[in-house]
Amino acid sequence: MREDANTALAEAGADVSVPEKVTLHSLRDFYATTLITKRENVKTVQVRLGHSKPSITLDKYVGFWPTDEDTTAAAIESVPGGPEQGADLKPSALVVPSQSALGSRAPS
């Protein structure tokens, strides 16, 4: 299959080829993670990959979706007059990680 793709690319005059180590699974993973980084939701990715349940998609790709911290920071930074313009502001309360964020470790 790789040879067929490389032949087609060469005939089209492309300067690229499919690398030796690329497999169908690596292309599938690339497709899934590209959808995720472009902010597609889990249901869309699940349907595109043909998974029977969104939980299957999440089990495999959960680490590629942005965390709440990522999206929260981006949301605040996008507000006019946000942190970049008021960088000298200090938080009004001490931020302490939740117990779930600490896992099994107790605060020292």
Side-chain angles (χ1 to χ4, degrees):
M1 184 194 281
R2 183 181 1 268
E3 294 81 20
D4 293 340
N6 283 333
T7 300
L9 287 167
E11 288 173 359
D15 293 332
V16 297
S17 63
V18 180
E20 284 296 315
K21 292 185 178 187
V22 170
T23 65
L24 286 176
H25 282 98
S26 63
L27 289 174
R28 181 179 169 88
D29 288 342
F30 173 78
Y31 178 64
T33 57
T34 299
L35 291 175
I36 294 165
T37 58
K38 296 299 181 184
R39 303 263 190 204
E40 289 295 342
N41 63 54
V42 67
K43 184 66 179 171
T44 300
V45 178
Q46 174 228 332
V47 169
R48 295 290 185 146
L49 295 178
H51 292 154
S52 59
K53 300 182 288 189
S55 61
I56 295 169
T57 307
L58 283 171
D59 285 346
K60 180 157 177 113
Y61 298 105
V62 70
F64 293 98
W65 266 281
T67 64
D68 288 342
E69 290 81 15
D70 295 337
T71 56
T72 302
I76 294 302
E77 289 170 1
S78 71
V79 175
E84 67 278 353
Q85 294 163 342
D88 58 337
L89 297 175
K90 303 289 183 225
S92 60
L94 176 64
V95 178
V96 178
S98 68
Q99 194 62 30
S100 62
L102 293 174
S104 61
R105 299 178 303 164
S108 49

